[in-house]
Amino acid sequence: MPDASVREFDAVIVGGGLAGLYAIHRLRNRMGLKVRAFEAGSGVGGTWFWNRYPGARCDVESLEYSYSFSDELQQEWQWPERYGTQPEILRYINHVADRFDLRRDVQLNTRVTSALFDSQTNLWTLRTDKGDVVRARYCIMAAGNLSTPRVPDFKGLQDFRGKWYHTGLWPTNGVDFTGLHVGVIGTGSSGVQMIPVIARQAKHLHVFQRTANFSLPARNAAMDHDRERRHKAEYPARRAAAYDTPFAIAGYPKPDKAAFDVSEAERNAAYEAKWQEGGSISFLYAFKDLLVNKAANDTASEFVRNKIRGIVKDPRTAELLAPKDHPIGTKRLCLDTGYYETYNRDNVTLVDARSDPIAEITATGLRTGKQAYEFDAIVFATGFDAMTGALREIDIRTTDGASLDKTWAGGPLTYLGLMVAGFPNMFVITGPGSPGVKTQMIASIEQHTNWIADCLAHMAAKGYDRIESSERAQTEWVAHVNAVADSTLYPLANSWYMGANIPGKPRVFMPYVGGFDRYSRRCDQVAGKGYEGFTLSARQPAMA
Ligand SMILES: Cc1cc2nc3c(=O)[nH]c(=O)nc-3n(C[C@H](O)[C@H](O)[C@H](O)COP(=O)(O)OP(=O)(O)OC[C@H]3O[C@@H](n4cnc5c(N)ncnc54)[C@H](O)[C@@H]3O)c2cc1C
């Protein structure tokens, strides 16, 4: 007899961010499937629900960084600035949830703790921290790549008498740093956005930098309404064009010249124009070989280092801020508003936590090997257990004895970033092995989800109830992902793409950097060849 306490769905979705919400829309509204999403947070929005730190905003322009699935939506919504702030993006996501009636299928405040695939019935059973047990044919992992905040395991944190925060777990009511002595640890994207804002409030701000990161000016501004009108008039064509680009962002002509095809003066003029324009794609598109030729990249890296030396008045601070341990663009490029200028303020001090590492957090602040600091508040801008953290926190197993945690112990293995061999009927949205994190992510989220939805429709039409990646297809894909990465400069950086920010995490290059255009074509080809590399089957004999 069926157990009445077990609820049954066609698909269970883990996560209520941009990916989880679009999955509800695509699978339920467009295909009529019975779905349920679980979200650990108390609201929808994922990244934009959790990351409420001061200065948080997107670094892809909002006219691009938005859903494309509804032309009405993209025509109606008005972005007040070139780059939306976190509150604005969260407002947009909530609007989408209401407009498409998505909220009723998201169960908030509920974390999925385990998922078990039964090889006899081809069904997943998921359990949550609230005691739910749900069963579904398909499990859609929309748990996020940057959703597992990482607070370094500093000795003494529990003894700190002030307040401490992580950028990815920011209090919903915000934090006022006015008049406080504040320590910020970390200078990645979040730190770079937050530091200028906190510096304007705090009595004194100490920034602890272990690794200097490249940051470019965002040139954020109020939305130019003529530009918005033109963009909206061309929206469908622009969205289609984005599919033909490596980063899923249209509007940046592909460069045809290599850095050494032009004179030094022309090269620097090109970099200067990009610096003035603002934005990371624009800068990396200055020349076609910046991410594959180290000598070419050195010219761009040195241009930015010289900019930093020109902005920051204290030469020692400027030299510390000028990144020298990785080629520009091989770690996530930061965009800022007044980041380097902030170090000219009297109330801001940069501490080199590489040469003098943080030894412990104390009751009143922290201590490096050489010095003690007193703080009212400490902010960890220390990033996330990226790409694999959220999935490895769920106990994912099959009745055949497979465990995802064990399968991925040496680094993530996927076929197309969409499925893991040995884990049938489980799809991952923008997982490792996909180009997701190297693109305008909402485009990748839509592309992945549409592919999954088409696959499920194909299976329903043919009477299949089980799909799995073959080991061979997965092995070949992982080898391809690595070969493409090795043909670029990306592996030269100790980045979160490599798992390098987490002690003990295997150093494996996780995203596919062959480009969104190449990837999405490959996904279409695979589907066109009857889901090549996947095995589709049915407990009952399938229709021919
Ligand atoms: C500060 C910041 C700025 C960014 N800016 C940009 C940008 O400008 N452009 C860009 O393309 N991308 C950007 N990103 C990347 C961003 O993560 C994606 O664009 C996008 O928001 C990802 O959506 P998602 O739904 O896939 O994942 P998320 O938004 O991370 O949502 C996943 C959700 O799943 C939930 N979850 C995880 N595990 C479980 C579980 N076991 N049970 C229940 N719920 C669970 C989490 O609570 C989370 O809410 C940024 C990321 C950060 C952190």
Side-chain angles (χ1 to χ4, degrees), residues 415-418 433-435 444 447-448 450-452 477 512 516-532 534:
Y415 177 35
L416 296 170
L418 286 162
S434 94
S444 284
Q447 183 269 344
H448 280 66
N450 291 339
W451 189 94
I452 293 166
W477 180 251
Y512 176 61
F516 176 86
D517 42 356
R518 208 163 139 195
Y519 171 82
S520 57
R521 276 199 298 273
R522 176 71 186 266
C523 289
D524 291 346
Q525 281 161 5
V526 164
K529 290 184 185 168
Y531 294 90
E532 188 181 42
F534 294 97

PDB file of all heavy atoms in Angstrom, residues 415-418 433-435 444 447-448 450-452 477 512 516-532 534:
ATOM      1  N   TYR A 415      28.550  14.422 -17.549  1.00  0.00           N
ATOM      2  CA  TYR A 415      28.465  14.452 -19.010  1.00  0.00           C
ATOM      3  C   TYR A 415      27.703  15.720 -19.367  1.00  0.00           C
ATOM      4  O   TYR A 415      26.550  15.904 -18.950  1.00  0.00           O
ATOM      5  CB  TYR A 415      27.744  13.196 -19.507  1.00  0.00           C
ATOM      6  CG  TYR A 415      27.538  13.152 -21.013  1.00  0.00           C
ATOM      7  CD1 TYR A 415      28.486  13.671 -21.899  1.00  0.00           C
ATOM      8  CD2 TYR A 415      26.398  12.556 -21.547  1.00  0.00           C
ATOM      9  CE1 TYR A 415      28.296  13.606 -23.277  1.00  0.00           C
ATOM     10  CE2 TYR A 415      26.205  12.485 -22.925  1.00  0.00           C
ATOM     11  CZ  TYR A 415      27.157  13.021 -23.780  1.00  0.00           C
ATOM     12  OH  TYR A 415      26.962  12.967 -25.146  1.00  0.00           O
ATOM     13  N   LEU A 416      28.358  16.631 -20.047  1.00  0.00           N
ATOM     14  CA  LEU A 416      27.806  17.928 -20.456  1.00  0.00           C
ATOM     15  C   LEU A 416      27.430  18.804 -19.262  1.00  0.00           C
ATOM     16  O   LEU A 416      26.689  19.776 -19.414  1.00  0.00           O
ATOM     17  CB  LEU A 416      26.571  17.738 -21.357  1.00  0.00           C
ATOM     18  CG  LEU A 416      26.821  17.053 -22.704  1.00  0.00           C
ATOM     19  CD1 LEU A 416      25.487  16.709 -23.376  1.00  0.00           C
ATOM     20  CD2 LEU A 416      27.656  17.937 -23.621  1.00  0.00           C
ATOM     21  N   GLY A 417      27.886  18.437 -18.075  1.00  0.00           N
ATOM     22  CA  GLY A 417      27.495  19.190 -16.889  1.00  0.00           C
ATOM     23  C   GLY A 417      26.048  18.937 -16.514  1.00  0.00           C
ATOM     24  O   GLY A 417      25.547  19.512 -15.550  1.00  0.00           O
ATOM     25  N   LEU A 418      25.375  18.057 -17.233  1.00  0.00           N
ATOM     26  CA  LEU A 418      23.930  17.879 -17.053  1.00  0.00           C
ATOM     27  C   LEU A 418      23.574  16.654 -16.221  1.00  0.00           C
ATOM     28  O   LEU A 418      22.582  16.656 -15.505  1.00  0.00           O
ATOM     29  CB  LEU A 418      23.247  17.735 -18.421  1.00  0.00           C
ATOM     30  CG  LEU A 418      23.108  19.011 -19.245  1.00  0.00           C
ATOM     31  CD1 LEU A 418      22.827  18.673 -20.716  1.00  0.00           C
ATOM     32  CD2 LEU A 418      21.990  19.883 -18.694  1.00  0.00           C
ATOM     33  N   GLY A 433      31.425  21.150 -15.426  1.00  0.00           N
ATOM     34  CA  GLY A 433      31.491  20.525 -16.753  1.00  0.00           C
ATOM     35  C   GLY A 433      30.614  21.248 -17.753  1.00  0.00           C
ATOM     36  O   GLY A 433      30.627  20.940 -18.934  1.00  0.00           O
ATOM     37  N   SER A 434      29.829  22.221 -17.271  1.00  0.00           N
ATOM     38  CA  SER A 434      29.068  23.076 -18.189  1.00  0.00           C
ATOM     39  C   SER A 434      29.729  24.459 -18.171  1.00  0.00           C
ATOM     40  O   SER A 434      30.498  24.764 -17.260  1.00  0.00           O
ATOM     41  CB  SER A 434      27.613  23.188 -17.741  1.00  0.00           C
ATOM     42  OG  SER A 434      27.413  24.338 -16.936  1.00  0.00           O
ATOM     43  N   PRO A 435      29.414  25.295 -19.158  1.00  0.00           N
ATOM     44  CA  PRO A 435      30.054  26.618 -19.157  1.00  0.00           C
ATOM     45  C   PRO A 435      29.364  27.607 -18.219  1.00  0.00           C
ATOM     46  O   PRO A 435      29.774  28.765 -18.150  1.00  0.00           O
ATOM     47  CB  PRO A 435      29.888  27.076 -20.616  1.00  0.00           C
ATOM     48  CG  PRO A 435      28.684  26.361 -21.107  1.00  0.00           C
ATOM     49  CD  PRO A 435      28.579  25.084 -20.340  1.00  0.00           C
ATOM     50  N   SER A 444      22.471  30.536 -19.459  1.00  0.00           N
ATOM     51  CA  SER A 444      22.824  29.121 -19.274  1.00  0.00           C
ATOM     52  C   SER A 444      21.717  28.371 -18.544  1.00  0.00           C
ATOM     53  O   SER A 444      21.406  27.222 -18.881  1.00  0.00           O
ATOM     54  CB  SER A 444      24.129  29.002 -18.484  1.00  0.00           C
ATOM     55  OG  SER A 444      25.225  29.314 -19.301  1.00  0.00           O
ATOM     56  N   GLN A 447      19.053  27.708 -21.026  1.00  0.00           N
ATOM     57  CA  GLN A 447      19.471  26.714 -22.020  1.00  0.00           C
ATOM     58  C   GLN A 447      19.461  25.301 -21.418  1.00  0.00           C
ATOM     59  O   GLN A 447      18.950  24.360 -22.010  1.00  0.00           O
ATOM     60  CB  GLN A 447      20.876  27.073 -22.553  1.00  0.00           C
ATOM     61  CG  GLN A 447      21.399  26.157 -23.645  1.00  0.00           C
ATOM     62  CD  GLN A 447      22.210  24.976 -23.099  1.00  0.00           C
ATOM     63  OE1 GLN A 447      22.625  24.983 -21.949  1.00  0.00           O
ATOM     64  NE2 GLN A 447      22.397  23.968 -23.926  1.00  0.00           N
ATOM     65  N   HIS A 448      20.022  25.173 -20.201  1.00  0.00           N
ATOM     66  CA  HIS A 448      20.051  23.854 -19.559  1.00  0.00           C
ATOM     67  C   HIS A 448      18.626  23.349 -19.316  1.00  0.00           C
ATOM     68  O   HIS A 448      18.306  22.199 -19.587  1.00  0.00           O
ATOM     69  CB  HIS A 448      20.732  23.941 -18.185  1.00  0.00           C
ATOM     70  CG  HIS A 448      22.221  23.950 -18.234  1.00  0.00           C
ATOM     71  ND1 HIS A 448      22.953  24.961 -18.773  1.00  0.00           N
ATOM     72  CD2 HIS A 448      23.124  23.054 -17.777  1.00  0.00           C
ATOM     73  CE1 HIS A 448      24.242  24.690 -18.650  1.00  0.00           C
ATOM     74  NE2 HIS A 448      24.368  23.544 -18.052  1.00  0.00           N
ATOM     75  N   ASN A 450      15.792  24.225 -20.667  1.00  0.00           N
ATOM     76  CA  ASN A 450      15.051  23.899 -21.894  1.00  0.00           C
ATOM     77  C   ASN A 450      15.491  22.546 -22.445  1.00  0.00           C
ATOM     78  O   ASN A 450      14.671  21.751 -22.906  1.00  0.00           O
ATOM     79  CB  ASN A 450      15.273  24.986 -22.954  1.00  0.00           C
ATOM     80  CG  ASN A 450      14.602  26.287 -22.558  1.00  0.00           C
ATOM     81  OD1 ASN A 450      13.691  26.296 -21.741  1.00  0.00           O
ATOM     82  ND2 ASN A 450      15.057  27.386 -23.123  1.00  0.00           N
ATOM     83  N   TRP A 451      16.802  22.294 -22.366  1.00  0.00           N
ATOM     84  CA  TRP A 451      17.312  21.000 -22.857  1.00  0.00           C
ATOM     85  C   TRP A 451      16.702  19.859 -22.029  1.00  0.00           C
ATOM     86  O   TRP A 451      16.251  18.847 -22.563  1.00  0.00           O
ATOM     87  CB  TRP A 451      18.841  20.989 -22.785  1.00  0.00           C
ATOM     88  CG  TRP A 451      19.480  19.823 -23.447  1.00  0.00           C
ATOM     89  CD1 TRP A 451      19.961  19.762 -24.728  1.00  0.00           C
ATOM     90  CD2 TRP A 451      19.699  18.515 -22.876  1.00  0.00           C
ATOM     91  NE1 TRP A 451      20.469  18.513 -24.985  1.00  0.00           N
ATOM     92  CE2 TRP A 451      20.312  17.730 -23.872  1.00  0.00           C
ATOM     93  CE3 TRP A 451      19.430  17.942 -21.633  1.00  0.00           C
ATOM     94  CZ2 TRP A 451      20.671  16.399 -23.651  1.00  0.00           C
ATOM     95  CZ3 TRP A 451      19.787  16.612 -21.419  1.00  0.00           C
ATOM     96  CH2 TRP A 451      20.395  15.850 -22.412  1.00  0.00           C
ATOM     97  N   ILE A 452      16.693  20.055 -20.708  1.00  0.00           N
ATOM     98  CA  ILE A 452      16.146  19.010 -19.817  1.00  0.00           C
ATOM     99  C   ILE A 452      14.660  18.795 -20.119  1.00  0.00           C
ATOM    100  O   ILE A 452      14.184  17.665 -20.247  1.00  0.00           O
ATOM    101  CB  ILE A 452      16.362  19.407 -18.337  1.00  0.00           C
ATOM    102  CG1 ILE A 452      17.855  19.412 -17.992  1.00  0.00           C
ATOM    103  CG2 ILE A 452      15.597  18.465 -17.406  1.00  0.00           C
ATOM    104  CD1 ILE A 452      18.203  20.110 -16.667  1.00  0.00           C
ATOM    105  N   TRP A 477      33.755  13.405 -22.108  1.00  0.00           N
ATOM    106  CA  TRP A 477      33.416  14.824 -21.880  1.00  0.00           C
ATOM    107  C   TRP A 477      34.391  15.456 -20.877  1.00  0.00           C
ATOM    108  O   TRP A 477      34.903  16.543 -21.090  1.00  0.00           O
ATOM    109  CB  TRP A 477      31.964  14.976 -21.400  1.00  0.00           C
ATOM    110  CG  TRP A 477      31.607  16.416 -21.177  1.00  0.00           C
ATOM    111  CD1 TRP A 477      31.396  17.035 -19.986  1.00  0.00           C
ATOM    112  CD2 TRP A 477      31.462  17.426 -22.195  1.00  0.00           C
ATOM    113  NE1 TRP A 477      31.124  18.369 -20.186  1.00  0.00           N
ATOM    114  CE2 TRP A 477      31.164  18.638 -21.534  1.00  0.00           C
ATOM    115  CE3 TRP A 477      31.569  17.432 -23.581  1.00  0.00           C
ATOM    116  CZ2 TRP A 477      30.958  19.846 -22.217  1.00  0.00           C
ATOM    117  CZ3 TRP A 477      31.364  18.633 -24.263  1.00  0.00           C
ATOM    118  CH2 TRP A 477      31.069  19.813 -23.581  1.00  0.00           C
ATOM    119  N   TYR A 512      33.388  24.365 -18.084  1.00  0.00           N
ATOM    120  CA  TYR A 512      33.762  24.166 -19.485  1.00  0.00           C
ATOM    121  C   TYR A 512      34.042  25.535 -20.093  1.00  0.00           C
ATOM    122  O   TYR A 512      33.147  26.402 -20.088  1.00  0.00           O
ATOM    123  CB  TYR A 512      32.617  23.470 -20.227  1.00  0.00           C
ATOM    124  CG  TYR A 512      32.886  23.313 -21.711  1.00  0.00           C
ATOM    125  CD1 TYR A 512      33.969  22.561 -22.152  1.00  0.00           C
ATOM    126  CD2 TYR A 512      32.068  23.913 -22.659  1.00  0.00           C
ATOM    127  CE1 TYR A 512      34.230  22.415 -23.507  1.00  0.00           C
ATOM    128  CE2 TYR A 512      32.318  23.767 -24.016  1.00  0.00           C
ATOM    129  CZ  TYR A 512      33.401  23.017 -24.429  1.00  0.00           C
ATOM    130  OH  TYR A 512      33.664  22.883 -25.762  1.00  0.00           O
ATOM    131  N   PHE A 516      29.957  29.115 -24.553  1.00  0.00           N
ATOM    132  CA  PHE A 516      28.530  28.778 -24.503  1.00  0.00           C
ATOM    133  C   PHE A 516      28.036  28.374 -25.896  1.00  0.00           C
ATOM    134  O   PHE A 516      27.254  27.440 -26.047  1.00  0.00           O
ATOM    135  CB  PHE A 516      27.765  30.007 -23.996  1.00  0.00           C
ATOM    136  CG  PHE A 516      26.279  29.836 -23.973  1.00  0.00           C
ATOM    137  CD1 PHE A 516      25.651  29.264 -22.882  1.00  0.00           C
ATOM    138  CD2 PHE A 516      25.493  30.263 -25.035  1.00  0.00           C
ATOM    139  CE1 PHE A 516      24.271  29.110 -22.856  1.00  0.00           C
ATOM    140  CE2 PHE A 516      24.127  30.115 -25.022  1.00  0.00           C
ATOM    141  CZ  PHE A 516      23.506  29.529 -23.933  1.00  0.00           C
ATOM    142  N   ASP A 517      28.511  29.081 -26.938  1.00  0.00           N
ATOM    143  CA  ASP A 517      28.053  28.806 -28.305  1.00  0.00           C
ATOM    144  C   ASP A 517      28.379  27.360 -28.705  1.00  0.00           C
ATOM    145  O   ASP A 517      27.518  26.611 -29.156  1.00  0.00           O
ATOM    146  CB  ASP A 517      28.658  29.809 -29.300  1.00  0.00           C
ATOM    147  CG  ASP A 517      30.135  30.118 -29.044  1.00  0.00           C
ATOM    148  OD1 ASP A 517      30.705  29.618 -28.051  1.00  0.00           O
ATOM    149  OD2 ASP A 517      30.717  30.872 -29.848  1.00  0.00           O
ATOM    150  N   ARG A 518      29.650  26.982 -28.464  1.00  0.00           N
ATOM    151  CA  ARG A 518      30.082  25.637 -28.822  1.00  0.00           C
ATOM    152  C   ARG A 518      29.322  24.595 -27.991  1.00  0.00           C
ATOM    153  O   ARG A 518      28.894  23.562 -28.490  1.00  0.00           O
ATOM    154  CB  ARG A 518      31.577  25.552 -28.503  1.00  0.00           C
ATOM    155  CG  ARG A 518      32.364  24.589 -29.319  1.00  0.00           C
ATOM    156  CD  ARG A 518      33.824  24.979 -29.150  1.00  0.00           C
ATOM    157  NE  ARG A 518      34.671  23.824 -29.016  1.00  0.00           N
ATOM    158  CZ  ARG A 518      35.919  23.877 -28.578  1.00  0.00           C
ATOM    159  NH1 ARG A 518      36.454  25.021 -28.202  1.00  0.00           N
ATOM    160  NH2 ARG A 518      36.652  22.796 -28.489  1.00  0.00           N
ATOM    161  N   TYR A 519      29.160  24.909 -26.714  1.00  0.00           N
ATOM    162  CA  TYR A 519      28.500  23.975 -25.787  1.00  0.00           C
ATOM    163  C   TYR A 519      27.034  23.757 -26.166  1.00  0.00           C
ATOM    164  O   TYR A 519      26.560  22.619 -26.231  1.00  0.00           O
ATOM    165  CB  TYR A 519      28.603  24.519 -24.356  1.00  0.00           C
ATOM    166  CG  TYR A 519      27.772  23.753 -23.354  1.00  0.00           C
ATOM    167  CD1 TYR A 519      28.234  22.564 -22.795  1.00  0.00           C
ATOM    168  CD2 TYR A 519      26.515  24.214 -22.972  1.00  0.00           C
ATOM    169  CE1 TYR A 519      27.476  21.858 -21.886  1.00  0.00           C
ATOM    170  CE2 TYR A 519      25.739  23.515 -22.064  1.00  0.00           C
ATOM    171  CZ  TYR A 519      26.215  22.337 -21.516  1.00  0.00           C
ATOM    172  OH  TYR A 519      25.453  21.637 -20.627  1.00  0.00           O
ATOM    173  N   SER A 520      26.320  24.852 -26.403  1.00  0.00           N
ATOM    174  CA  SER A 520      24.882  24.681 -26.663  1.00  0.00           C
ATOM    175  C   SER A 520      24.666  23.950 -27.990  1.00  0.00           C
ATOM    176  O   SER A 520      23.736  23.154 -28.113  1.00  0.00           O
ATOM    177  CB  SER A 520      24.133  26.020 -26.607  1.00  0.00           C
ATOM    178  OG  SER A 520      24.676  26.924 -27.518  1.00  0.00           O
ATOM    179  N   ARG A 521      25.573  24.181 -28.952  1.00  0.00           N
ATOM    180  CA  ARG A 521      25.462  23.427 -30.221  1.00  0.00           C
ATOM    181  C   ARG A 521      25.676  21.933 -29.957  1.00  0.00           C
ATOM    182  O   ARG A 521      24.966  21.084 -30.490  1.00  0.00           O
ATOM    183  CB  ARG A 521      26.498  23.932 -31.232  1.00  0.00           C
ATOM    184  CG  ARG A 521      26.018  25.175 -32.000  1.00  0.00           C
ATOM    185  CD  ARG A 521      26.810  25.384 -33.274  1.00  0.00           C
ATOM    186  NE  ARG A 521      28.219  25.625 -33.030  1.00  0.00           N
ATOM    187  CZ  ARG A 521      28.748  26.840 -32.785  1.00  0.00           C
ATOM    188  NH1 ARG A 521      27.968  27.904 -32.743  1.00  0.00           N
ATOM    189  NH2 ARG A 521      30.041  26.978 -32.567  1.00  0.00           N
ATOM    190  N   ARG A 522      26.642  21.630 -29.106  1.00  0.00           N
ATOM    191  CA  ARG A 522      26.916  20.223 -28.780  1.00  0.00           C
ATOM    192  C   ARG A 522      25.694  19.571 -28.104  1.00  0.00           C
ATOM    193  O   ARG A 522      25.320  18.440 -28.419  1.00  0.00           O
ATOM    194  CB  ARG A 522      28.147  20.162 -27.874  1.00  0.00           C
ATOM    195  CG  ARG A 522      28.514  18.807 -27.365  1.00  0.00           C
ATOM    196  CD  ARG A 522      29.084  17.915 -28.489  1.00  0.00           C
ATOM    197  NE  ARG A 522      29.296  16.576 -27.994  1.00  0.00           N
ATOM    198  CZ  ARG A 522      30.463  16.133 -27.503  1.00  0.00           C
ATOM    199  NH1 ARG A 522      31.512  16.921 -27.505  1.00  0.00           N
ATOM    200  NH2 ARG A 522      30.576  14.911 -27.032  1.00  0.00           N
ATOM    201  N   CYS A 523      25.071  20.332 -27.184  1.00  0.00           N
ATOM    202  CA  CYS A 523      23.874  19.796 -26.502  1.00  0.00           C
ATOM    203  C   CYS A 523      22.780  19.504 -27.531  1.00  0.00           C
ATOM    204  O   CYS A 523      22.105  18.473 -27.457  1.00  0.00           O
ATOM    205  CB  CYS A 523      23.335  20.802 -25.479  1.00  0.00           C
ATOM    206  SG  CYS A 523      24.386  20.983 -24.033  1.00  0.00           S
ATOM    207  N   ASP A 524      22.610  20.419 -28.491  1.00  0.00           N
ATOM    208  CA  ASP A 524      21.577  20.224 -29.524  1.00  0.00           C
ATOM    209  C   ASP A 524      21.903  19.002 -30.389  1.00  0.00           C
ATOM    210  O   ASP A 524      21.012  18.224 -30.730  1.00  0.00           O
ATOM    211  CB  ASP A 524      21.460  21.469 -30.415  1.00  0.00           C
ATOM    212  CG  ASP A 524      20.876  22.653 -29.654  1.00  0.00           C
ATOM    213  OD1 ASP A 524      20.328  22.436 -28.555  1.00  0.00           O
ATOM    214  OD2 ASP A 524      20.977  23.796 -30.146  1.00  0.00           O
ATOM    215  N   GLN A 525      23.195  18.852 -30.717  1.00  0.00           N
ATOM    216  CA  GLN A 525      23.589  17.693 -31.538  1.00  0.00           C
ATOM    217  C   GLN A 525      23.307  16.390 -30.797  1.00  0.00           C
ATOM    218  O   GLN A 525      22.790  15.428 -31.360  1.00  0.00           O
ATOM    219  CB  GLN A 525      25.087  17.743 -31.853  1.00  0.00           C
ATOM    220  CG  GLN A 525      25.441  18.702 -32.971  1.00  0.00           C
ATOM    221  CD  GLN A 525      26.925  19.066 -32.930  1.00  0.00           C
ATOM    222  OE1 GLN A 525      27.689  18.536 -32.129  1.00  0.00           O
ATOM    223  NE2 GLN A 525      27.311  19.992 -33.798  1.00  0.00           N
ATOM    224  N   VAL A 526      23.648  16.379 -29.506  1.00  0.00           N
ATOM    225  CA  VAL A 526      23.431  15.171 -28.693  1.00  0.00           C
ATOM    226  C   VAL A 526      21.944  14.811 -28.697  1.00  0.00           C
ATOM    227  O   VAL A 526      21.562  13.652 -28.915  1.00  0.00           O
ATOM    228  CB  VAL A 526      23.965  15.406 -27.259  1.00  0.00           C
ATOM    229  CG1 VAL A 526      23.426  14.365 -26.293  1.00  0.00           C
ATOM    230  CG2 VAL A 526      25.489  15.398 -27.246  1.00  0.00           C
ATOM    231  N   ALA A 527      21.090  15.815 -28.488  1.00  0.00           N
ATOM    232  CA  ALA A 527      19.645  15.558 -28.493  1.00  0.00           C
ATOM    233  C   ALA A 527      19.195  15.098 -29.876  1.00  0.00           C
ATOM    234  O   ALA A 527      18.416  14.136 -30.003  1.00  0.00           O
ATOM    235  CB  ALA A 527      18.896  16.824 -28.066  1.00  0.00           C
ATOM    236  N   GLY A 528      19.723  15.765 -30.905  1.00  0.00           N
ATOM    237  CA  GLY A 528      19.340  15.435 -32.288  1.00  0.00           C
ATOM    238  C   GLY A 528      19.696  14.002 -32.673  1.00  0.00           C
ATOM    239  O   GLY A 528      19.053  13.390 -33.520  1.00  0.00           O
ATOM    240  N   LYS A 529      20.738  13.465 -32.026  1.00  0.00           N
ATOM    241  CA  LYS A 529      21.134  12.077 -32.323  1.00  0.00           C
ATOM    242  C   LYS A 529      20.502  11.114 -31.316  1.00  0.00           C
ATOM    243  O   LYS A 529      21.118  10.112 -30.925  1.00  0.00           O
ATOM    244  CB  LYS A 529      22.655  11.952 -32.274  1.00  0.00           C
ATOM    245  CG  LYS A 529      23.343  12.677 -33.427  1.00  0.00           C
ATOM    246  CD  LYS A 529      24.833  12.427 -33.353  1.00  0.00           C
ATOM    247  CE  LYS A 529      25.570  13.215 -34.400  1.00  0.00           C
ATOM    248  NZ  LYS A 529      27.006  13.208 -34.182  1.00  0.00           N
ATOM    249  N   GLY A 530      19.289  11.452 -30.858  1.00  0.00           N
ATOM    250  CA  GLY A 530      18.581  10.541 -29.938  1.00  0.00           C
ATOM    251  C   GLY A 530      19.265  10.454 -28.587  1.00  0.00           C
ATOM    252  O   GLY A 530      19.340   9.399 -27.983  1.00  0.00           O
ATOM    253  N   TYR A 531      19.815  11.573 -28.110  1.00  0.00           N
ATOM    254  CA  TYR A 531      20.476  11.661 -26.808  1.00  0.00           C
ATOM    255  C   TYR A 531      21.712  10.744 -26.752  1.00  0.00           C
ATOM    256  O   TYR A 531      21.872   9.893 -25.885  1.00  0.00           O
ATOM    257  CB  TYR A 531      19.465  11.422 -25.658  1.00  0.00           C
ATOM    258  CG  TYR A 531      18.472  12.558 -25.648  1.00  0.00           C
ATOM    259  CD1 TYR A 531      17.298  12.476 -26.403  1.00  0.00           C
ATOM    260  CD2 TYR A 531      18.751  13.736 -24.991  1.00  0.00           C
ATOM    261  CE1 TYR A 531      16.425  13.551 -26.474  1.00  0.00           C
ATOM    262  CE2 TYR A 531      17.878  14.811 -25.064  1.00  0.00           C
ATOM    263  CZ  TYR A 531      16.734  14.719 -25.806  1.00  0.00           C
ATOM    264  OH  TYR A 531      15.885  15.783 -25.892  1.00  0.00           O
ATOM    265  N   GLU A 532      22.572  11.016 -27.703  1.00  0.00           N
ATOM    266  CA  GLU A 532      23.829  10.275 -27.838  1.00  0.00           C
ATOM    267  C   GLU A 532      24.643  10.352 -26.532  1.00  0.00           C
ATOM    268  O   GLU A 532      24.791  11.441 -25.951  1.00  0.00           O
ATOM    269  CB  GLU A 532      24.650  10.928 -28.961  1.00  0.00           C
ATOM    270  CG  GLU A 532      25.879  10.188 -29.360  1.00  0.00           C
ATOM    271  CD  GLU A 532      26.628  10.947 -30.457  1.00  0.00           C
ATOM    272  OE1 GLU A 532      26.739  12.186 -30.379  1.00  0.00           O
ATOM    273  OE2 GLU A 532      27.097  10.287 -31.398  1.00  0.00           O
ATOM    274  N   PHE A 534      23.742   9.035 -23.804  1.00  0.00           N
ATOM    275  CA  PHE A 534      22.820   8.707 -22.707  1.00  0.00           C
ATOM    276  C   PHE A 534      22.145   7.384 -23.044  1.00  0.00           C
ATOM    277  O   PHE A 534      21.939   7.061 -24.217  1.00  0.00           O
ATOM    278  CB  PHE A 534      21.732   9.777 -22.563  1.00  0.00           C
ATOM    279  CG  PHE A 534      22.257  11.124 -22.124  1.00  0.00           C
ATOM    280  CD1 PHE A 534      22.513  12.120 -23.053  1.00  0.00           C
ATOM    281  CD2 PHE A 534      22.490  11.390 -20.783  1.00  0.00           C
ATOM    282  CE1 PHE A 534      22.996  13.360 -22.652  1.00  0.00           C
ATOM    283  CE2 PHE A 534      22.976  12.636 -20.374  1.00  0.00           C
ATOM    284  CZ  PHE A 534      23.230  13.618 -21.315  1.00  0.00           C
TER     285      PHE A 534
END
